[in-house]
Amino acid sequence: MFASLALSERTIKYSSLVIGILVMALSGSLFSFASFGTDLKARFGFTSSNLNLLAAIGDTSMYVGFLIVGPIYDHYGERATLITASILTFLGYGGMYIAYAKAWGGLGFLMILYCLAGVASTAGYLAALAANMANFPATTSGTVSGILLAFFGLSATLFSQIKTHLFSGHGEVPDPNSTLKGTKATQQFLLFLTIITTAIYLIAAVFMVKIKRPEVKSLDSGSSSVTTVNDTNEKTAANPAQALSRSTTYTPSMTNGREGWNSSSTTLDKESGIERGTHHLPGDNILSETVPASSEPVVTSTAPGKTWVNPYLASIDMKPRAILRESTFWFFVIAQVSQQGFSYINNVDSIVHAILDPNDPSTVTRITSLTGLHVSLISVGNCLGRLASGVISDWVINHYRISRSVFFFGSEVLILIPLAIMGFTSGMVTMPALVVSSCLIGATYGATGALFASMTRDFFGNKYYGTACGLVMVLNGFNPIIANQIYGIFYDRAAKKMPPTKAGSDSDNHVTCLGNNCYNSSFKIATLLQVVCVVFAGLLFWAHMRKGRKLMQATMA
């Protein structure tokens, strides 16, 4: 009977993971904006600043959307979150399809619709991620999030290739009676996005399940703390450190007027020979309403032949107000807000156009193929970065006492390379350098995205995971607006200095700026902002390592 139940739970767990992968593959559809943005620009007569603002609104809504869908997930679960996603994506992409077909509504209306599509993407993303993170133990959280977010990273490649090969608009005969610019293929592509995302979110709402773990009361009659049974707690501890790692929950205490951590319900195995006691664990200021740990408080390393308490796999469930008092939270937020790269991802099409020779007859056709290539490079790099960072960080954190945030810090340092190439290269950026930039931007963005998911769990726990994601990411919503507007302003300024183009030319319909002045000034600013990001990513790593060392010393005292 128990074997069949275990098999059933295992089946549910892995089938939910497969469905989560499918949801993730569709939830990054906004990152394919570059593949149809020029058609929007042509049809509605937008400037580069207008187009960048529209792209930024979509990106921002994905981050601010966490504050909307996070509480929905925390209180109503994955099913309600996915139904919300299906409704919003139908309204968002469906509305854009109608607006594009009729060429009405203007920039403001498209911003509202694209915002709805962005929040829908966040809802699908969060439901798939949070449900599957809860289904698997903390020791594999990096791998699980890496797998899921790898397909989220591939989403841009998936949709850009679909757009390029099925909805390219090549050979399309213009209607002589129509004054509308842009291709009908983009109109059909928006309809396709509406149908596929709405349908998959609804299917996932039915079949993707978050497994509810049984809760076991502590054996200490004086304690009301609850520990959730998890895969990491199945085996009996072989030594005191393992016993402590399995059965100690932590709650805030006051010592000499300062708040700290103490083990209010320490229950050790009788075989260990260690008595119940109180261990004060240092940490940031945590409010008294912090919830006792409900999953793996401190997990013993799984490295072969090694047994130790790993403080960096601690999962202490914090209430939202408690999270706001953590120094790690603010270091994390500032690093996320100042991270650069959005302007490159959303404007790679105009960058490609700016570096091509306008006198080359093949330039017009090469723009489409090279834009598709770089969108794919960014997307594939994003996928590989997410997968590699998740798997490698899990291996390192399980074999060594080191915070997962070291990989976050390293990724932020690497982002400086493509930004410096774009901002400080004398003369025109070469195509090989642009390929390197696309690969690095994609890989590092993917790595930080996957690490964000597992680090949020490491820092703040599972119980309020959706809200914790929202708190970390909400201010990051201003990042793409600022970055894209900076790019758009400098691009339009350089475009005004260009000689006039022939009426009806491709440049007149789409992008009009040629040369390195189109992009280098904005990327110089982006490089400086990224230095700020690197500093705070380093502080985050230092703070978490320091807290872990103190927790380790107190636990092993």
Side-chain angles (χ1 to χ4, degrees), residues 138 226-228 230 232-233 244-250 265 281 292-300 309-317 458 551:
V226 178
T227 301
T228 302
N230 201 293
T232 59
N233 296 330
L244 181 61
S245 72
R246 189 186 68 255
S247 55
T248 304
T249 56
Y250 303 111
S265 57
L281 304 180
S294 61
S295 54
E296 325 84 282
V298 182
V299 182
T300 304
V309 176
N310 196 329
Y312 302 109
L313 284 174
S315 184
I316 302 170
D317 290 334
D458 291 346
L551 186 145

Side-chain angles (χ1 to χ4, degrees), residues 196-400:
I196 192 69
T197 54
T198 302
I200 294 300
Y201 287 152
L202 285 175
I203 291 171
V206 176
F207 294 104
M208 193 173 71
V209 178
K210 174 184 174 181
I211 300 171
K212 299 186 181 300
R213 303 288 181 183
E215 294 184 337
V216 181
K217 292 284 185 180
S218 171
L219 297 179
D220 187 345
S221 60
S223 171
S224 61
S225 63
V226 178
T227 301
T228 302
V229 175
N230 201 293
D231 296 345
T232 59
N233 296 330
E234 291 177 352
K235 298 182 180 179
T236 302
N239 57 40
Q242 286 176 300
L244 181 61
S245 72
R246 189 186 68 255
S247 55
T248 304
T249 56
Y250 303 111
T251 54
S253 66
M254 295 295 296
T255 306
N256 297 326
R258 297 180 63 187
E259 285 185 301
W261 291 103
N262 80 308
S263 54
S264 60
S265 57
T266 306
T267 307
L268 304 182
D269 290 347
K270 294 181 180 180
E271 302 91 319
S272 69
I274 294 181
E275 298 178 354
R276 295 188 181 95
T278 299
H279 301 278
H280 297 284
L281 304 180
D284 290 321
N285 293 325
I286 309 298
L287 301 181
S288 59
E289 58 266 28
T290 302
V291 180
S294 61
S295 54
E296 325 84 282
V298 182
V299 182
T300 304
S301 170
T302 58
K306 299 180 181 180
T307 54
W308 61 52
V309 176
N310 196 329
Y312 302 109
L313 284 174
S315 184
I316 302 170
D317 290 334
M318 296 184 189
K319 286 188 175 180
R321 289 181 60 195
I323 293 172
L324 295 175
R325 301 292 296 272
E326 285 278 286
S327 64
T328 49
F329 167 77
W330 290 106
F331 291 152
F332 202 7
V333 167
I334 296 174
Q336 292 276 4
V337 169
S338 54
Q339 178 176 305
Q340 297 301 298
F342 277 109
S343 56
Y344 183 93
I345 294 171
N346 287 327
N347 293 283
V348 69
D349 57 337
S350 64
I351 295 172
V352 167
H353 189 281
I355 68 175
L356 291 178
D357 182 3
N359 297 318
D360 187 343
S362 65
T363 292
V364 174
T365 56
R366 290 182 66 200
I367 288 174
T368 301
S369 61
L370 287 174
T371 297
L373 170 65
H374 283 276
V375 170
S376 296
L377 287 175
I378 293 170
S379 184
V380 171
N382 197 307
C383 168
L384 296 177
R386 292 174 189 272
L387 186 59
S389 64
V391 173
I392 295 173
S393 68
D394 266 354
W395 186 86
V396 170
I397 203 171
N398 277 294
H399 285 74
Y400 305 98

Side-chain angles (χ1 to χ4, degrees), residues 91-111:
L91 295 174
Y93 281 132
M96 289 184 71
Y97 160 72
I98 296 173
Y100 185 88
K102 303 296 182 180
W104 55 265
L107 180 62
F109 184 56
L110 282 180
M111 287 167 60

Side-chain angles (χ1 to χ4, degrees), residues 100-234:
Y100 185 88
K102 303 296 182 180
W104 55 265
L107 180 62
F109 184 56
L110 282 180
M111 287 167 60
I112 294 173
L113 296 174
Y114 205 45
C115 180
L116 293 177
V119 177
S121 291
T122 300
Y125 171 102
L126 181 60
L129 179 64
N132 283 286
M133 290 279 280
N135 287 347
F136 290 85
T139 50
T140 61
S141 63
T143 302
V144 171
S145 64
I147 291 172
L148 288 168
L149 295 176
F151 284 89
F152 181 73
L154 276 177
S155 186
T157 293
L158 173 66
F159 285 110
S160 67
Q161 292 302 312
I162 289 174
K163 175 69 172 68
T164 299
H165 295 288
L166 300 181
F167 303 97
S168 66
H170 290 321
E172 188 175 296
V173 179
D175 184 352
N177 299 320
S178 176
T179 58
L180 297 178
K181 298 178 181 179
T183 64
K184 290 184 179 179
T186 291
Q187 176 181 323
Q188 296 167 351
F189 180 66
L190 290 170
L191 178 61
F192 169 77
L193 281 176
T194 304
I195 295 172
I196 192 69
T197 54
T198 302
I200 294 300
Y201 287 152
L202 285 175
I203 291 171
V206 176
F207 294 104
M208 193 173 71
V209 178
K210 174 184 174 181
I211 300 171
K212 299 186 181 300
R213 303 288 181 183
E215 294 184 337
V216 181
K217 292 284 185 180
S218 171
L219 297 179
D220 187 345
S221 60
S223 171
S224 61
S225 63
V226 178
T227 301
T228 302
V229 175
N230 201 293
D231 296 345
T232 59
N233 296 330
E234 291 177 352

